[in-house]
Amino acid sequence: MNKKEMLVAAIKNGTVIDHIPSDKTYQVAQLLDLHNQETPVTIGYNYLSKKLGKKGIIKVEDKFFTDEEISRLSVVAPNIVLNIIRDFEVVEKKQVITPDEIHGIVRCNNPKCITNNEPMSTYFHVTNGILTCHYCEKEQDINKVELC
Ligand code: ZN
């Protein structure tokens, strides 16, 4: 096994999240709520990548994320790949699919929006990479959002 394969294959069962832009690694961990995870989690970054320059990798043992959880990553790292590992083998590669709606996660960038003034969560409709606030209709680019 070469060094590159070892990075991905070192867990028996679980998920290896690869091709994370290095500076987004902790945001991915936050969006997947990994600080509440009870099985071993390995977070690494600044690995050299031909595509990204530097990338992050997160390994989560005995955890398989739902499509809803994976879709949250579209706001920070739409091109990452989740390797599903069973018995040390990659059995599936999942990509992030941008959802039609985003609940919570992202802040509305309109200071007058009700979601910035009342204790309520945000709600956006997503079309072609543009998030439209359900309440005030302010639009923002999915690549420039601010997380809650
Ligand atoms: Zn709004």
Side-chain angles (χ1 to χ4, degrees):
M1 197 185 296
N2 68 32
K3 277 185 187 161
K4 197 178 168 195
E5 287 168 337
M6 282 173 65
L7 278 178
V8 177
I11 64 175
K12 183 169 189 226
N13 292 295
T15 305
V16 175
I17 307 163
D18 198 0
H19 303 294
I20 307 169
S22 219
D23 60 341
K24 307 278 190 186
T25 308
Y26 277 96
Q27 287 180 337
V28 168
Q30 183 194 344
L31 288 168
L32 293 174
D33 205 22
L34 294 184
H35 55 281
N36 288 320
Q37 184 66 26
E38 291 185 358
T39 58
V41 177
T42 309
I43 296 176
Y45 50 93
N46 288 341
Y47 292 107
L48 293 179
S49 157
K50 276 187 189 144
K51 258 193 271 182
L52 299 168
K54 287 181 178 174
K55 70 175 180 179
I57 295 177
I58 299 175
K59 298 179 211 174
V60 190
E61 292 186 37
D62 298 314
K63 174 74 180 172
F64 303 96
F65 296 98
T66 65
D67 289 345
E68 190 279 324
E69 289 171 314
I70 295 170
S71 73
R72 292 179 205 160
L73 304 180
S74 61
V75 300
V76 296
N79 298 318
I80 67 172
V81 175
L82 291 92
N83 297 281
I84 314 303
I85 315 285
R86 291 191 192 271
D87 208 14
F88 297 107
E89 302 266 354
V90 178
V91 295
E92 191 182 353
K93 285 179 181 280
K94 287 193 175 189
Q95 291 189 320
V96 176
I97 294 166
T98 304
D100 297 330
E101 294 179 356
I102 293 175
H103 296 265
I105 302 175
V106 172
R107 196 182 289 276
C108 181
N109 63 355
N110 172 7
K112 290 185 178 153
C113 180
I114 187 168
T115 62
N116 285 318
N117 295 285
E118 298 288 337
M120 60 191 289
S121 71
T122 57
Y123 171 17
F124 298 91
H125 303 277
V126 186
T127 315
N128 297 327
I130 301 295
L131 273 57
T132 306
C133 179
H134 179 75
Y135 302 103
C136 73
E137 300 188 340
K138 181 97 161 72
E139 296 183 347
Q140 48 184 330
D141 187 322
I142 198 167
N143 297 308
K144 293 179 184 159
V145 296
E146 190 184 334
L147 299 183
C148 290

